[in-house]
Amino acid sequence: MNCTAAIKVMLKKTVLDPQGAAVRGGLRSMGFDCVTDVRVGKSMEVSISGVSSIEEAARLADEMCRKLLANPVIEEYTFEVYES
Amino acid sequence: MKFGVVVFPGSNCDTDAYHAIRDGLGAPVDYVWHQSKDVTGYDCLILPGGFAYGDYLRAGAIARFSPVMEAVEKFARAGGLVLGICNGFQVLLECGLLPGAMLKNESLQFRCMYVNLRVENNSTAFTNTLARGQVVSIPIAHGEGNYYADERTIEALEKKGRILFRYCDRDGHVTRESNPNGAALNIAGIISDDGNVAGMMPHPERAYQAVLGSADGLEVFRSIAAFISSRSAVVAVGGGRA
């Protein structure tokens, strides 16, 4: 079956995010006083084929995140896998 | 002795490193293409600055899987010296040969400028021609030099003397103002527990002769050469006595 893993990688909450701070500053200076914080991360879509189940694809997606897609020192990840 | 300068697709400080070693230090040096799996015969490998694999995903994230890196890791574990400069430092962090990670500079600016560094530890293969507390002038050029590690790691680096250089002012004071990127404890360079692997964000190969603006960077290469010579000298004396 063919699946898609929608992966989100964010900096850990304990890590300073100057990019997020800059975006927050930009939004607030545009008039969005309601914005209290912004954190910027990465979104990736990985197409997986030749797997027998969603669970198998999820296991593979987790391994990809641990080994390459996220740096465990500074980042954490979440993902959703669905049949494409 | 022989140096090797590893070249990844996207490395751009390899020729400067090559020339600093060949012309500044006067030692034999080769380029080592990232697909080479053989690094026998080298005493020191340099991972140079640049944008290996375009810094895609994260700086150094893809380069760490280059064929050459398996050989570099084995080489380091067997006692070979490895110096990662800027992007090279990022590669070493990504493959875990050094602890921690690099974040974007706090200012979000790419900082390309001379900085002052205080020598924190001169009992290493990379700093032995310098004095502890000495201030050297070496340029940086990076957008992601904001060194980060968790509290425990930072504490251990400090306690075990694993910090090589810290950003400081002209008089050697480690201050917030002298920190160009937000790096924890103004850390500019660190060394591994076994002392074989070092990483530094500043570019010593861009400061190897006075006409470039500073010759302080040459001391890093001279230190490596001195260490290699003293290591083989010990072996030679032992052999001679027998």
Side-chain angles (χ1 to χ4, degrees):
Chain A
M1 73 193 285
N2 295 327
C3 297
T4 302
I7 299 169
K8 196 171 88 163
V9 178
M10 299 291 290
L11 285 174
K12 287 181 173 171
K13 294 192 177 45
T14 48
V15 177
L16 186 75
D17 181 8
Q19 224 183 171
V23 174
R24 183 187 73 206
L27 287 172
R28 288 183 66 91
S29 70
M30 284 171 75
F32 293 105
D33 297 332
C34 55
V35 174
T36 57
D37 196 22
V38 178
R39 290 185 70 81
V40 179
K42 284 177 206 146
S43 165
M44 288 172 265
E45 279 175 12
V46 181
S47 303
I48 299 169
S49 72
V51 288
S52 54
S53 64
I54 293 252
E55 287 73 27
E56 191 190 342
R59 265 198 312 275
L60 289 167
D62 189 72
E63 202 184 332
M64 292 176 214
C65 288
R66 277 186 291 109
K67 287 188 173 171
L68 176 67
L69 302 179
N71 180 329
V73 178
I74 48 173
E75 292 170 330
E76 53 196 20
Y77 61 90
T78 55
F79 61 82
E80 256 176 38
V81 184
Y82 50 88
E83 195 173 350
S84 28
Chain B
M1 75 178 78
K2 204 156 70 141
F3 287 76
V5 175
V6 177
V7 184
F8 298 102
S11 296
N12 65 15
C13 302
D14 43 317
T15 35
D16 281 350
Y18 181 93
H19 284 279
I21 294 165
R22 192 193 69 179
D23 304 333
L25 183 65
V29 56
D30 286 337
Y31 290 111
V32 179
W33 182 230
H34 77 112
Q35 286 181 336
S36 167
K37 294 192 186 167
D38 183 12
V39 294
T40 43
Y42 294 106
D43 299 285
C44 176
L45 293 173
I46 310 285
L47 302 189
F51 298 86
Y53 294 93
D55 276 5
Y56 292 149
L57 191 66
R58 297 181 305 276
I62 299 172
R64 64 154 288 206
F65 290 113
S66 271
V68 76
M69 286 310 294
E70 205 185 306
V72 171
E73 287 180 45
K74 276 206 192 93
F75 173 85
R77 267 183 265 123
L81 299 178
V82 180
L83 173 64
I85 300 169
C86 201
N87 192 211
F89 185 5
Q90 292 161 339
V91 175
L92 291 173
L93 291 169
E94 282 286 334
C95 71
L97 278 172
L98 288 173
M102 286 296 172
L103 300 170
K104 283 187 168 32
N105 290 350
E106 206 172 33
S107 63
L108 296 181
Q109 293 171 340
F110 186 100
R111 289 275 164 96
C112 185
M113 54 197 258
Y114 263 89
V115 293
N116 295 304
L117 304 173
R118 190 176 75 185
V119 178
E120 300 291 310
N121 182 348
N122 72 335
S123 309
T124 79
F126 308 90
T127 52
N128 57 69
T129 64
L130 296 162
R132 199 154 171 248
Q134 182 178 352
V135 177
V136 293
S137 184
I138 298 184
I140 57 167
H142 58 249
E144 290 183 54
N146 183 350
Y147 180 76
Y148 171 91
D150 61 33
E151 258 185 65
R152 234 177 4 144
T153 306
I154 297 278
E155 245 182 67
L157 285 173
E158 237 190 335
K159 275 209 183 90
K160 296 195 237 174
R162 298 289 165 245
I163 301 172
L164 288 182
F165 301 103
R166 287 165 70 175
Y167 302 108
C168 66
D169 66 17
R170 258 181 331 171
D171 304 313
H173 301 123
V174 175
T175 63
R176 215 180 184 292
E177 293 71 35
S178 58
N179 187 330
N181 52 37
L185 295 190
N186 284 36
I187 288 171
I190 60 173
I191 192 168
S192 60
D193 278 344
D194 55 20
N196 286 353
V197 181
M200 60 190 292
M201 284 314 289
H203 290 263
E205 79 287 7
R206 293 190 188 183
Y208 80 85
Q209 48 180 182
V211 70
L212 295 173
S214 166
D216 291 349
L218 184 60
E219 295 311 311
V220 172
F221 300 103
R222 290 188 61 242
S223 294
I224 297 171
F227 180 85
I228 294 168
S229 300
S230 70
R231 213 161 51 168
S232 41
V234 168
V235 171
V237 167
R241 273 203 216 109

